[in-house]
């Protein structure tokens, strides 16, 4: 079941964060789609996704990437969207003094020059602990954890948002706010 769950989780990330049109889905501006529509279109496109598997993934995904509405009739990705169908209206929040960003050592020189950029996503993703940041960085090679001076950014006018799955989001982190 674990291998199947990982495959479905990757599929859900793809269609709910990046390419809903790949299976003829349309997300609303907040990223929600009907569970029935998702299941129908997934199965029409060769993915044997059931409500039981979907419930299991949402409940057990260690990163809590997906969220149901209270009735479990709608689903969305918690954050990480690159699709233009979604424009999450997060409410700005005050972050802790420091946040962390995990990356691979090979990207550090570029980050020191340009800062952290959202790339094709809506936001830069940050965590409030080094363990999560280390795990994220390890996905891309030998990890390094960058310390972000979040409070100094707020004092300079930058906004931060907290996603449903407790990932801190901001549009850009200038290099001057990344500790050496």
């Amino acid at each position: 079941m674990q291998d199947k769950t990982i495959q479905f989780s990757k599929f859900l990330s793809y269609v709910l964060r990046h390419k809903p049109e790949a299976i003829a889905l349309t997300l609303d501006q907040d990223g929600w789609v009907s569970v029935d529509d998702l299941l129908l279109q997934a199965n029409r496109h060769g993915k044997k996704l059931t409500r039981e598997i979907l419930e299991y993934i949402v409940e057990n995904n260690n990163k809590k990437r997906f969220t149901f509405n209270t009735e479990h009739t709608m689903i969305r990705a918690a954050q990480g969207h690159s699709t233009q169908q979604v424009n999450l209206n997060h409410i700005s929040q005050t972050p802790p003094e420091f946040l962390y960003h995990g990356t691979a050592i090979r990207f550090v020189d570029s980050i020191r020059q340009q800062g952290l950029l959202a790339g094709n996503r809506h936001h830069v993703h940050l965590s409030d602990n080094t363990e999560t940041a280390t795990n994220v960085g390890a996905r891309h090679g030998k990890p390094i954890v960058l310390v972000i001076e979040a409070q100094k950014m707020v004092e300079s006018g930058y906004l931060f948002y907290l996603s449903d799955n407790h990932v801190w989001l901001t549009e850009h982190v200038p290099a001057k706010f990344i500790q050496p």
Side-chain angles (χ1 to χ4, degrees):
M1 177 71 161
Q2 185 65 20
D3 286 343
K4 185 179 258 191
T5 310
I6 291 170
Q7 290 173 353
F8 280 124
S9 183
K10 287 181 179 184
F11 168 75
L12 290 172
S13 286
Y14 180 69
V15 299
L16 296 178
R17 295 169 69 187
H18 307 296
K19 293 281 186 193
E21 64 274 12
I23 63 166
L25 283 181
T26 301
L27 308 179
D28 73 13
Q29 70 178 14
D30 294 319
W32 294 104
V33 67
S34 156
V35 169
D36 291 339
D37 288 348
L38 171 64
L39 294 173
L40 176 69
Q41 293 302 346
N43 281 279
R44 281 186 177 167
H45 288 83
K47 299 291 182 185
K48 302 300 179 202
L49 185 61
T50 65
R51 184 172 292 274
E52 293 76 25
I53 293 170
L54 191 60
E55 293 270 353
Y56 180 85
I57 290 169
V58 173
E59 181 66 30
N60 294 290
N61 183 273
N62 63 342
K63 295 180 184 175
K64 300 296 178 196
R65 287 191 168 155
F66 314 105
T67 306
F68 283 122
N69 65 350
T70 54
E71 299 85 20
H72 287 219
T73 57
M74 304 288 283
I75 188 171
R76 73 174 177 186
Q79 43 76 27
H81 298 87
S82 64
T83 178
Q84 297 307 307
Q85 289 183 27
V86 177
N87 185 15
L88 295 179
N89 292 314
H90 293 296
I91 297 169
S92 65
Q93 297 191 31
T94 303
E97 182 177 5
F98 299 104
L99 291 171
Y100 307 94
H101 181 79
T103 190
I105 287 178
R106 70 180 185 271
F107 300 128
V108 171
D109 289 340
S110 173
I111 292 169
R112 294 273 181 226
Q113 291 175 8
Q114 300 178 347
L116 291 168
L117 306 173
N120 63 355
R121 293 183 177 181
H122 292 246
H123 297 99
V124 173
H125 297 184
L126 305 168
S127 65
D128 61 6
N129 66 80
T130 58
E131 182 182 340
T132 299
T134 300
N135 290 338
V136 169
R139 294 186 319 204
H140 306 289
K142 185 173 181 187
I144 186 167
V145 175
L146 303 173
V147 179
I148 310 305
E149 298 173 330
Q151 277 303 305
K152 287 184 180 178
M153 286 182 64
V154 169
E155 291 164 9
S156 296
Y158 291 87
L159 297 176
F160 286 84
Y161 311 95
L162 189 59
S163 70
D164 293 349
N165 62 343
H166 303 288
V167 173
W168 283 94
L169 308 169
T170 192
E171 290 182 12
H172 171 72
V173 178
K176 70 181 181 178
F177 295 109
I178 302 171
Q179 287 189 351

